[in-house]
mmCIF file of all heavy atoms in Angstrom:
data_model
loop_
_atom_site.group_PDB
_atom_site.id
_atom_site.type_symbol
_atom_site.label_atom_id
_atom_site.label_comp_id
_atom_site.label_asym_id
_atom_site.label_seq_id
_atom_site.Cartn_x
_atom_site.Cartn_y
_atom_site.Cartn_z
ATOM 1 N N PHE T 52 5.099 12.025 -37.910
ATOM 2 C CA PHE T 52 4.159 12.041 -38.956
ATOM 3 C C PHE T 52 4.801 12.266 -40.313
ATOM 4 O O PHE T 52 4.498 11.607 -41.191
ATOM 5 C CB PHE T 52 3.046 13.157 -38.621
ATOM 6 C CG PHE T 52 2.036 13.178 -39.600
ATOM 7 C CD1 PHE T 52 0.945 12.386 -39.709
ATOM 8 C CD2 PHE T 52 2.115 14.206 -40.676
ATOM 9 C CE1 PHE T 52 -0.043 12.489 -40.695
ATOM 10 C CE2 PHE T 52 1.195 14.296 -41.658
ATOM 11 C CZ PHE T 52 0.112 13.437 -41.631
ATOM 12 N N PHE T 53 5.680 13.289 -40.258
ATOM 13 C CA PHE T 53 6.279 13.633 -41.591
ATOM 14 C C PHE T 53 7.457 12.806 -41.898
ATOM 15 O O PHE T 53 8.176 12.988 -42.964
ATOM 16 C CB PHE T 53 6.692 15.231 -41.511
ATOM 17 C CG PHE T 53 5.371 16.026 -41.687
ATOM 18 C CD1 PHE T 53 4.952 16.662 -40.477
ATOM 19 C CD2 PHE T 53 4.643 16.109 -42.817
ATOM 20 C CE1 PHE T 53 3.838 17.481 -40.530
ATOM 21 C CE2 PHE T 53 3.534 16.917 -42.898
ATOM 22 C CZ PHE T 53 3.013 17.589 -41.873
ATOM 23 N N ASP T 54 7.883 11.930 -41.133
ATOM 24 C CA ASP T 54 9.069 11.077 -41.471
ATOM 25 C C ASP T 54 8.490 9.661 -41.762
ATOM 26 O O ASP T 54 9.031 8.646 -41.258
ATOM 27 C CB ASP T 54 9.915 10.963 -40.098
ATOM 28 C CG ASP T 54 11.181 10.377 -40.466
ATOM 29 O OD1 ASP T 54 11.802 10.271 -41.551
ATOM 30 O OD2 ASP T 54 11.860 9.772 -39.410
ATOM 31 N N ASP T 55 7.785 9.613 -42.782
ATOM 32 C CA ASP T 55 7.116 8.370 -43.325
ATOM 33 C C ASP T 55 6.518 7.431 -42.252
ATOM 34 O O ASP T 55 6.440 6.261 -42.399
ATOM 35 C CB ASP T 55 8.263 7.604 -44.024
ATOM 36 C CG ASP T 55 8.798 8.338 -45.251
ATOM 37 O OD1 ASP T 55 7.928 9.181 -45.890
ATOM 38 O OD2 ASP T 55 9.955 8.298 -45.576
ATOM 39 N N GLY T 56 6.023 8.137 -41.200
ATOM 40 C CA GLY T 56 5.286 7.304 -40.083
ATOM 41 C C GLY T 56 6.218 6.525 -39.190
ATOM 42 O O GLY T 56 5.770 5.799 -38.391
ATOM 43 N N ARG T 57 7.532 6.528 -39.438
ATOM 44 C CA ARG T 57 8.381 5.741 -38.509
ATOM 45 C C ARG T 57 8.268 6.320 -37.146
ATOM 46 O O ARG T 57 8.198 7.456 -36.927
ATOM 47 C CB ARG T 57 9.865 5.824 -39.009
ATOM 48 C CG ARG T 57 10.107 5.081 -40.291
ATOM 49 C CD ARG T 57 11.564 5.230 -40.611
ATOM 50 N NE ARG T 57 11.686 6.581 -41.098
ATOM 51 C CZ ARG T 57 12.557 6.992 -42.118
ATOM 52 N NH1 ARG T 57 13.373 6.088 -42.607
ATOM 53 N NH2 ARG T 57 12.590 8.174 -42.604
ATOM 54 N N ASP T 58 8.100 5.379 -36.253
ATOM 55 C CA ASP T 58 8.026 5.742 -34.772
ATOM 56 C C ASP T 58 6.708 6.516 -34.456
ATOM 57 O O ASP T 58 6.561 7.163 -33.426
ATOM 58 C CB ASP T 58 9.205 6.419 -34.306
ATOM 59 C CG ASP T 58 10.433 5.624 -34.533
ATOM 60 O OD1 ASP T 58 10.421 4.405 -34.357
ATOM 61 O OD2 ASP T 58 11.506 6.262 -34.844
ATOM 62 N N PHE T 59 5.730 6.655 -35.453
ATOM 63 C CA PHE T 59 4.500 7.398 -35.149
ATOM 64 C C PHE T 59 3.653 6.915 -33.948
ATOM 65 O O PHE T 59 3.343 7.756 -33.175
ATOM 66 C CB PHE T 59 3.719 7.488 -36.415
ATOM 67 C CG PHE T 59 2.430 8.351 -36.272
ATOM 68 C CD1 PHE T 59 2.733 9.790 -36.215
ATOM 69 C CD2 PHE T 59 1.222 7.852 -36.041
ATOM 70 C CE1 PHE T 59 1.634 10.654 -36.058
ATOM 71 C CE2 PHE T 59 0.197 8.718 -35.778
ATOM 72 C CZ PHE T 59 0.358 10.047 -35.879
ATOM 73 N N ALA T 60 3.674 5.632 -33.779
ATOM 74 C CA ALA T 60 2.728 5.128 -32.709
ATOM 75 C C ALA T 60 3.404 5.398 -31.437
ATOM 76 O O ALA T 60 2.707 5.792 -30.417
ATOM 77 C CB ALA T 60 2.637 3.528 -32.967
ATOM 78 N N ALA T 61 4.652 5.332 -31.442
ATOM 79 C CA ALA T 61 5.407 5.713 -30.098
ATOM 80 C C ALA T 61 5.234 7.180 -29.718
ATOM 81 O O ALA T 61 5.000 7.522 -28.658
ATOM 82 C CB ALA T 61 6.773 5.270 -30.139
ATOM 83 N N ALA T 62 5.407 7.961 -30.749
ATOM 84 C CA ALA T 62 5.257 9.397 -30.529
ATOM 85 C C ALA T 62 3.858 9.756 -30.122
ATOM 86 O O ALA T 62 3.653 10.640 -29.241
ATOM 87 C CB ALA T 62 5.669 10.171 -31.809
ATOM 88 N N ARG T 63 2.851 9.052 -30.759
ATOM 89 C CA ARG T 63 1.432 9.382 -30.473
ATOM 90 C C ARG T 63 1.163 8.899 -29.042
ATOM 91 O O ARG T 63 0.566 9.757 -28.273
ATOM 92 C CB ARG T 63 0.487 8.614 -31.362
ATOM 93 C CG ARG T 63 -0.868 8.791 -31.150
ATOM 94 C CD ARG T 63 -1.727 7.597 -31.823
ATOM 95 N NE ARG T 63 -1.362 6.423 -31.233
ATOM 96 C CZ ARG T 63 -1.162 5.287 -31.906
ATOM 97 N NH1 ARG T 63 -1.415 5.454 -33.289
ATOM 98 N NH2 ARG T 63 -0.814 4.217 -31.398
ATOM 99 N N ASP T 64 1.703 7.806 -28.612
ATOM 100 C CA ASP T 64 1.478 7.251 -27.179
ATOM 101 C C ASP T 64 2.137 8.126 -26.211
ATOM 102 O O ASP T 64 1.469 8.453 -25.086
ATOM 103 C CB ASP T 64 1.962 5.841 -27.140
ATOM 104 C CG ASP T 64 1.151 4.854 -27.997
ATOM 105 O OD1 ASP T 64 0.073 5.211 -28.417
ATOM 106 O OD2 ASP T 64 1.626 3.685 -28.127
ATOM 107 N N ARG T 65 3.333 8.626 -26.513
ATOM 108 C CA ARG T 65 4.023 9.624 -25.617
ATOM 109 C C ARG T 65 3.151 10.773 -25.443
ATOM 110 O O ARG T 65 2.998 11.375 -24.407
ATOM 111 C CB ARG T 65 5.419 9.931 -26.208
ATOM 112 C CG ARG T 65 6.054 11.098 -25.391
ATOM 113 C CD ARG T 65 7.455 11.372 -25.985
ATOM 114 N NE ARG T 65 8.033 12.549 -25.327
ATOM 115 C CZ ARG T 65 9.042 13.211 -25.792
ATOM 116 N NH1 ARG T 65 9.552 12.907 -26.977
ATOM 117 N NH2 ARG T 65 9.414 14.266 -25.138
ATOM 118 N N LEU T 66 2.609 11.490 -26.651
ATOM 119 C CA LEU T 66 1.925 12.535 -26.538
ATOM 120 C C LEU T 66 0.674 12.375 -25.813
ATOM 121 O O LEU T 66 0.271 13.271 -24.909
ATOM 122 C CB LEU T 66 1.619 13.085 -27.998
ATOM 123 C CG LEU T 66 0.948 14.481 -28.028
ATOM 124 C CD1 LEU T 66 1.761 15.554 -27.236
ATOM 125 C CD2 LEU T 66 0.715 14.854 -29.470
ATOM 126 N N HIS T 67 -0.031 11.366 -25.925
ATOM 127 C CA HIS T 67 -1.251 11.019 -25.268
ATOM 128 C C HIS T 67 -1.001 10.896 -23.837
ATOM 129 O O HIS T 67 -1.821 11.409 -23.041
ATOM 130 C CB HIS T 67 -1.744 9.637 -25.699
ATOM 131 C CG HIS T 67 -3.043 9.328 -25.148
ATOM 132 N ND1 HIS T 67 -3.165 8.381 -24.168
ATOM 133 C CD2 HIS T 67 -4.434 9.680 -25.288
ATOM 134 C CE1 HIS T 67 -4.354 8.246 -23.716
ATOM 135 N NE2 HIS T 67 -5.199 9.022 -24.443
ATOM 136 N N ALA T 68 0.106 10.400 -23.342
ATOM 137 C CA ALA T 68 0.382 10.202 -21.971
ATOM 138 C C ALA T 68 0.660 11.725 -21.186
ATOM 139 O O ALA T 68 0.351 11.862 -20.183
ATOM 140 C CB ALA T 68 1.720 9.337 -21.756
ATOM 141 N N GLU T 69 1.239 12.595 -22.201
ATOM 142 C CA GLU T 69 1.531 13.897 -21.554
ATOM 143 C C GLU T 69 0.423 14.800 -21.671
ATOM 144 O O GLU T 69 0.281 15.777 -20.708
ATOM 145 C CB GLU T 69 2.722 14.477 -22.368
ATOM 146 C CG GLU T 69 4.029 13.781 -22.034
ATOM 147 C CD GLU T 69 5.227 14.657 -22.504
ATOM 148 O OE1 GLU T 69 5.275 15.800 -22.671
ATOM 149 O OE2 GLU T 69 6.288 13.884 -22.942
ATOM 150 N N ILE T 70 -0.445 14.701 -22.630
ATOM 151 C CA ILE T 70 -1.555 15.784 -22.691
ATOM 152 C C ILE T 70 -2.945 15.233 -22.652
ATOM 153 O O ILE T 70 -3.889 16.054 -22.591
ATOM 154 C CB ILE T 70 -1.255 16.588 -24.052
ATOM 155 C CG1 ILE T 70 -1.527 15.860 -25.269
ATOM 156 C CG2 ILE T 70 0.047 17.259 -23.949
ATOM 157 C CD1 ILE T 70 -1.571 16.673 -26.609
ATOM 158 N N GLY T 71 -3.134 13.871 -22.812
ATOM 159 C CA GLY T 71 -4.481 13.303 -22.658
ATOM 160 C C GLY T 71 -5.107 13.176 -24.010
ATOM 161 O O GLY T 71 -4.632 13.771 -25.061
ATOM 162 N N GLY T 72 -6.131 12.477 -24.042
ATOM 163 C CA GLY T 72 -6.912 12.123 -25.235
ATOM 164 C C GLY T 72 -7.515 13.309 -25.952
ATOM 165 O O GLY T 72 -7.449 13.456 -27.202
ATOM 166 N N GLU T 73 -8.246 14.086 -25.217
ATOM 167 C CA GLU T 73 -8.869 15.242 -25.976
ATOM 168 C C GLU T 73 -7.850 16.200 -26.626
ATOM 169 O O GLU T 73 -7.998 16.565 -27.796
ATOM 170 C CB GLU T 73 -9.775 16.048 -25.051
ATOM 171 C CG GLU T 73 -11.043 15.261 -24.546
ATOM 172 C CD GLU T 73 -11.899 16.163 -23.701
ATOM 173 O OE1 GLU T 73 -11.871 17.329 -23.771
ATOM 174 O OE2 GLU T 73 -12.625 15.517 -22.917
ATOM 175 N N ALA T 74 -6.804 16.448 -25.931
ATOM 176 C CA ALA T 74 -5.800 17.306 -26.458
ATOM 177 C C ALA T 74 -5.039 16.650 -27.703
ATOM 178 O O ALA T 74 -4.640 17.262 -28.629
ATOM 179 C CB ALA T 74 -4.719 17.712 -25.517
ATOM 180 N N LEU T 75 -4.925 15.396 -27.576
ATOM 181 C CA LEU T 75 -4.264 14.520 -28.644
ATOM 182 C C LEU T 75 -5.095 14.643 -29.870
ATOM 183 O O LEU T 75 -4.595 14.829 -31.087
ATOM 184 C CB LEU T 75 -4.090 13.064 -28.298
ATOM 185 C CG LEU T 75 -3.582 12.149 -29.425
ATOM 186 C CD1 LEU T 75 -2.180 12.662 -29.903
ATOM 187 C CD2 LEU T 75 -3.607 10.670 -28.867
ATOM 188 N N VAL T 76 -6.444 14.515 -29.805
ATOM 189 C CA VAL T 76 -7.350 14.707 -30.997
ATOM 190 C C VAL T 76 -7.215 16.167 -31.494
ATOM 191 O O VAL T 76 -7.052 16.378 -32.838
ATOM 192 C CB VAL T 76 -8.813 14.542 -30.504
ATOM 193 C CG1 VAL T 76 -9.783 14.912 -31.605
ATOM 194 C CG2 VAL T 76 -9.033 13.044 -30.156
ATOM 195 N N ASP T 77 -6.943 17.216 -30.697
ATOM 196 C CA ASP T 77 -6.830 18.477 -31.203
ATOM 197 C C ASP T 77 -5.404 18.670 -31.946
ATOM 198 O O ASP T 77 -5.391 19.188 -33.060
ATOM 199 C CB ASP T 77 -6.808 19.488 -30.096
ATOM 200 C CG ASP T 77 -8.104 19.762 -29.432
ATOM 201 O OD1 ASP T 77 -9.226 19.408 -30.185
ATOM 202 O OD2 ASP T 77 -8.153 20.335 -28.257
ATOM 203 N N ALA T 78 -4.427 17.989 -31.388
ATOM 204 C CA ALA T 78 -3.171 17.950 -32.035
ATOM 205 C C ALA T 78 -3.207 17.235 -33.385
ATOM 206 O O ALA T 78 -2.536 17.817 -34.341
ATOM 207 C CB ALA T 78 -2.007 17.335 -31.178
ATOM 208 N N ALA T 79 -3.841 16.205 -33.496
ATOM 209 C CA ALA T 79 -3.956 15.468 -34.738
ATOM 210 C C ALA T 79 -4.739 16.215 -35.770
ATOM 211 O O ALA T 79 -4.330 16.269 -36.998
ATOM 212 C CB ALA T 79 -4.797 14.146 -34.599
ATOM 213 N N GLY T 80 -5.741 17.024 -35.304
ATOM 214 C CA GLY T 80 -6.478 17.936 -36.305
ATOM 215 C C GLY T 80 -5.662 19.022 -36.706
ATOM 216 O O GLY T 80 -5.633 19.280 -37.962
ATOM 217 N N VAL T 81 -4.815 19.603 -35.924
ATOM 218 C CA VAL T 81 -3.958 20.671 -36.259
ATOM 219 C C VAL T 81 -2.890 20.136 -37.273
ATOM 220 O O VAL T 81 -2.553 20.781 -38.364
ATOM 221 C CB VAL T 81 -3.245 21.384 -35.028
ATOM 222 C CG1 VAL T 81 -2.121 22.295 -35.536
ATOM 223 C CG2 VAL T 81 -4.298 22.125 -34.243
ATOM 224 N N LEU T 82 -2.335 19.045 -37.007
ATOM 225 C CA LEU T 82 -1.372 18.430 -37.872
ATOM 226 C C LEU T 82 -1.910 18.170 -39.188
ATOM 227 O O LEU T 82 -1.414 18.455 -40.263
ATOM 228 C CB LEU T 82 -0.917 17.083 -37.262
ATOM 229 C CG LEU T 82 0.338 16.419 -37.934
ATOM 230 C CD1 LEU T 82 1.580 17.219 -37.809
ATOM 231 C CD2 LEU T 82 0.541 14.995 -37.278
#
Side-chain angles (χ1 to χ4, degrees):
F52 177 83
F53 288 105
D54 191 22
D55 297 327
R57 287 179 286 213
D58 303 320
F59 184 73
R63 180 200 58 224
D64 293 346
R65 173 186 174 192
L66 186 58
H67 182 260
E69 289 193 31
I70 65 175
E73 289 184 27
L75 176 61
V76 170
D77 290 344
V81 169
L82 186 66

